[in-house]
Each structure stands twice: as C-alpha cells, then as structure tokens.
Amino acid sequence: MFRISALLLLLILSPALSAAATAAAGDILSLSEALEIALARNPSLRAAEARTRGALEEVKITRTDFLPKASTQYGYTRLQDAPFQRIDGRERLVGDEDGHHWDITLSQPLFTGFATRSRHQIARNSAEIEKLAGRQDLVAISQDLRVAWFEALLAGRITEVAEGNVTALQSHRNDAERFFRQGLISRNDLLKSEAALANALQERERAVAAGTVTRSRLANLMGVELAPGRVLEDIAAIEPQPLELPALYEEARQHSPVLQGYRLALDNLEESVNLAKSGYYPTLTLAGRYERNGSDPGAATNDFANDDNAGIAVTAKWDFFEWGRTGAEVAKQKFARQDLAEQVRGIENQLRFDIERAFLDLQVAGNNIGTANLGLEQARENWRITDLQYRNQVATSTEVLDSRSLLSQAESNYYRALYGYRIALAQLERAVGRS
C-alpha cells in the first residue's frame, strides 16, 4: 500500500479574543481566532444558512400535500325577479330573489400516481443538498484561510531572509570599501559588492510587497483589516504521522460534501422520473361537504328546498391521452439524470486527481524539510567561513557573494518546504472534505 510519513501540525493556540479584528498593533493573532472571525463574518455562510432554511420550509410545504384540507366559501345572489316555473300554464315560485349560500369542504387525496411522495422526497433531498453546500462553503473558507495564513507566514520569512541578506551585503560592501581604500582589492571587486547590495535591496522591496499582498488576502478572507504591526502566531511544533492515499480516496468518497450533494441530486432526478410517470396514473380524491342555502344571511330560511345538506364524494380523474406528453417528460428526466451521472464521474476523477496532487506535494515538502534543513546548516557554516576568510583576505569577493547567495537560497528553500507542507496539507484536507 502506498504510504508516506507526513507531518501533522500541532497548533498551540491562545484563547479567542472577541475584539480580534480591532486589536492594537503588535498583538498576536492566532489561527483559531482568525478562523472564528472569518466564519462569523463570511457572507457565503450566512447565505447558505438562509438557503437551507428556505429549503426546509419547502419540505413543510410538500408534507401538507399528504394531509386533508378544509375550505369554506360564502356567496350572495340578488335576482331581479323571483324564479318560477310554469306548470299547466300557472306560474309557481321555486326560489327567492335573495339567495345566500355557504359551505364547508374537507378533501383528502387518496392517490396521486406517487407524485405527492416524489415531490416530498425531492424537497427533502434539496434541503440536504443545501446543508451540504453550506458545509462545503465551510470547508473552502476554513482551508482557504489556512492556506492564506501559511502563505503570509512564508512571505514574512522570505522578507526576513531578504532583510538578513541586505544586512550581510551591507557589511560586506563596507569591508570591500575599506579594503579598496587600503589598496588590497581592485575597484572591480568593490563594484561587485555594491551591485550585489543593490540587487539585494530590490529583492527586499519585492519581498515586502509580496508580504503585503499575502496579508491583504488573509484580511480579505477574514473580512477585517490587519494592522501592519499585527503579528501572526507561527506553528509551535510538528511531528510525523503516516497518511495513506487509498484511505484518503475512501474518506473523500464517503464524506466529501461535493460528492454527497451530487449523489442527492442524482436521487432527485430519479424522483423527477417518478414524478413524470405519475401522469400515467389516475388521481383519486375523497371529499366531504356540508352546505346551507337560504334567503337570509344565515341561510337558515328556505321555503323551497332543504336549507342544509351534507355529502361525500370520491372523484377519479385520468388524463389518458395527451399526445405523448407524459412519455416525453419521462424521457427528458432520464436524459437529465444520465447527464448528471456523467458529470459525477468526472467530478470523482477530478477529486482523485486533486487529492493525489496535494498528497504528492505533501510528500515532496515533507521529504524536503530534512534535506533543506541540512542544506541550511551547511550554507550558514559556509557563509561564516567564507566571510571570515574574506576579512582576512584569504577569499575573494566573488566567493563571498556566492556563499551569501547560497545561504539566502538555502533559507528560502527551507521555509518554502516547511510552509509548503502546511499549505499542501490544507489543500489535501480541502480536497478530502475536512473543515
């Protein structure tokens, strides 16, 4: 089985601050506090909650289709002439000029061709889909913020490397200038040190700008502004933990909100097929009714017929011929389900690719941390020795500049491996569906 040893991050987090967004410059902001702020202020989560609540109301609406319904109505009619009939040439009244009518009806659907059940199941699935969409938003926001957090920390470290490089090269330029005045080196060597310092100053400016951009992205995800002096809490400790690629695939297949949502959407389209098929069946309804008819507003007086009556009826309706409409609707829903099933297969393949890519990035970064750390120690020692040799005029300026460039690159590589691992882990967890 394909295994690697990855690094599990152990965060030492301070208690959450209620006013984290407006704390004074210089305060330390922890990752847990940043997550709390982002989740509390993110409009996508609030929108997802509103959609979920609306979908749950739709479930209630469709549930009422199973239950009996009661209705009442009242009517008044005024005729110009009292109604009569002619019998053997004589007119006989059969009603009053004033007619009042009211009734109460209680109806219960007995059979709808499974349409009621299908609509209710579709509503339930849709509500669950909205919940899963909200969960996916939570996963995306949490992991995007973690990625932005570690990118900001990495940018800060790269800025530190650039600052250290500028300081070292300024010292080297000063040494070179002193040696030049003493006639120990040529002007060409002095120009090399000055050119290297100019390049280092430009690299520092680029590093500072990149750090500002990463902090701005982090602040945007949090929904607040970060004061320039606000310190981001770094990782306190790391330790290795084994991860297995097949287990990650299975976890994503079982728990990914994206895949779960698409599977429910497939179920909904299956129910849509059943809903369309309901057109093949008759509908059956039971209704009970009580009514009153009379000449007074209470419909209690009727000289021509009974003033009240009650009845029960069973009504069957069957649209047995609609020029193939029902069959076409059934076929349409089946094709829609086939379309979505193919999309789901594509999404599953893409998800496997995303997991594998993040897993390999994690493996590379994890393996590189030890190598980069060793290279960093060697580069520091090389710089120390070369700088000391130059001050004693044993090494050349070119050797000093090469050793300093090597050290800066080694420091950058170490931090990129360290934070690259953490970024890859966040991306892996997002692909798997962890929040």
Side-chain angles (χ1 to χ4, degrees):
M1 183 173 292
F2 185 37
R3 298 170 179 265
I4 66 165
S5 290
L7 301 176
L8 176 66
L9 307 182
L10 302 177
L11 304 181
I12 299 178
L13 301 171
S14 58
L17 303 176
S18 59
T22 57
D27 288 347
I28 296 178
L29 178 66
S30 70
L31 178 56
S32 64
E33 291 168 350
L35 284 169
E36 287 181 11
I37 295 170
L39 297 180
R41 301 175 68 91
N42 192 275
S44 297
L45 293 180
R46 294 197 295 270
E49 182 181 1
R51 290 194 301 269
T52 299
R53 290 183 176 181
L56 289 173
E57 294 302 319
E58 181 64 23
V59 174
K60 295 179 182 179
I61 292 171
T62 57
R63 187 181 295 123
T64 63
D65 293 337
F66 292 101
L67 305 175
K69 297 174 178 60
S71 63
T72 185
Q73 63 177 347
Y74 182 91
Y76 167 71
T77 303
R78 173 66 182 181
L79 300 177
Q80 179 178 354
D81 301 311
F84 64 88
Q85 289 183 340
R86 288 189 176 89
I87 301 176
D88 296 331
R90 299 175 62 185
E91 294 182 355
R92 293 189 177 184
L93 295 178
V94 294
D96 295 303
E97 294 93 337
D98 296 311
H100 297 267
H101 168 89
W102 63 266
D103 63 61
I104 297 176
T105 302
L106 188 68
S107 62
Q108 170 67 54
L110 299 178
F111 181 68
T112 60
F114 310 106
T116 301
R117 185 201 62 79
S118 294
R119 278 192 289 265
H120 182 59
Q121 188 60 45
I122 288 172
R124 291 178 60 185
N125 288 344
S126 297
E128 191 61 30
I129 288 171
E130 293 298 343
K131 288 181 184 179
L132 290 168
R135 206 176 105 200
Q136 179 59 27
D137 286 343
L138 177 63
V139 169
I141 293 165
S142 299
Q143 300 303 345
D144 282 351
L145 187 133
R146 286 187 173 92
V147 169
W149 182 272
F150 295 127
E151 286 178 344
L153 290 176
L154 173 59
R157 292 294 191 180
I158 297 300
T159 301
E160 290 177 7
V161 171
E163 289 282 2
N165 197 37
V166 168
T167 301
L169 291 178
Q170 283 176 336
S171 177
H172 172 67
R173 191 274 312 271
N174 293 338
D175 289 339
E177 188 175 20
R178 185 174 68 254
F179 291 153
F180 175 70
R181 287 198 303 266
Q182 295 172 355
L184 298 177
I185 62 172
S186 66
R187 181 170 179 77
N188 187 50
D189 282 346
L190 175 60
L191 292 175
K192 286 181 181 178
S193 64
E194 290 178 340
L197 176 59
N199 289 335
L201 289 170
Q202 295 178 49
E203 287 296 326
R204 184 180 64 179
E205 290 301 315
R206 282 192 285 268
V208 170
T212 302
V213 170
T214 58
R215 285 177 67 93
S216 296
R217 179 171 181 265
L218 177 62
N220 183 58
L221 289 171
M222 291 171 59
V224 298
E225 291 188 8
L226 283 177
R230 197 74 189 275
V231 178
L232 305 182
E233 186 181 59
D234 209 337
I235 300 303
I238 54 175
E239 67 178 20
Q241 176 183 330
L243 294 174
E244 299 180 0
L245 192 56
L248 293 171
Y249 288 150
E250 183 62 22
E251 181 181 350
R253 196 182 71 83
Q254 295 292 336
H255 304 295
S256 169
V258 175
L259 287 181
Q260 288 180 314
Y262 271 95
R263 291 189 189 111
L264 284 173
L266 281 173
D267 291 344
N268 264 3
L269 284 174
E270 187 62 38
E271 292 297 337
S272 295
V273 172
N274 295 333
L275 182 60
K277 287 181 178 179
S278 66
Y280 290 129
Y281 301 97
T283 60
L284 200 62
T285 306
L286 174 67
R289 178 173 176 173
Y290 174 78
E291 65 179 6
R292 296 192 66 92
N293 294 279
S295 58
D296 60 319
T301 303
N302 193 326
D303 297 330
F304 300 95
N306 53 328
D307 54 11
D308 68 328
N309 208 341
I312 188 170
V314 176
T315 304
K317 181 183 177 182
W318 187 19
D319 297 327
F320 60 89
F321 183 70
E322 293 183 300
W323 299 98
R325 177 188 179 90
T326 301
E329 184 64 29
V330 171
K332 172 186 172 183
Q333 298 302 329
K334 286 183 177 180
F335 285 127
R337 190 184 188 285
Q338 181 181 350
D339 174 30
L340 187 59
E342 295 298 330
Q343 293 183 44
V344 170
R345 277 189 278 272
I347 290 169
E348 288 176 343
N349 292 336
Q350 181 63 44
L351 191 59
R352 287 177 63 89
F353 171 76
D354 291 341
I355 292 173
E356 183 177 6
R357 179 177 59 184
F359 182 78
L360 293 176
D361 289 344
L362 194 66
Q363 182 186 35
V364 170
N367 292 337
N368 283 347
I369 289 175
T371 305
N373 187 43
L374 179 61
L376 177 58
E377 293 176 359
Q378 295 170 338
R380 282 173 176 165
E381 181 64 13
N382 178 58
W383 159 252
R384 186 189 69 80
I385 294 173
T386 306
D387 186 52
L388 182 61
Q389 289 175 336
Y390 180 76
R391 293 184 181 185
N392 289 280
Q393 281 298 285
V394 178
T396 65
S397 180
T398 300
E399 291 173 323
V400 173
L401 297 178
D402 288 344
S403 67
R404 187 64 215 183
S405 176
L406 182 63
L407 176 56
S408 296
Q409 187 62 50
E411 289 176 329
S412 298
N413 289 343
Y414 172 71
Y415 290 126
R416 286 192 173 96
L418 188 64
Y419 292 102
Y421 160 78
R422 295 161 181 164
I423 291 170
L425 181 60
Q427 292 171 336
L428 177 61
E429 290 179 333
R430 173 173 180 165
V432 171
R434 299 178 187 172
S435 59

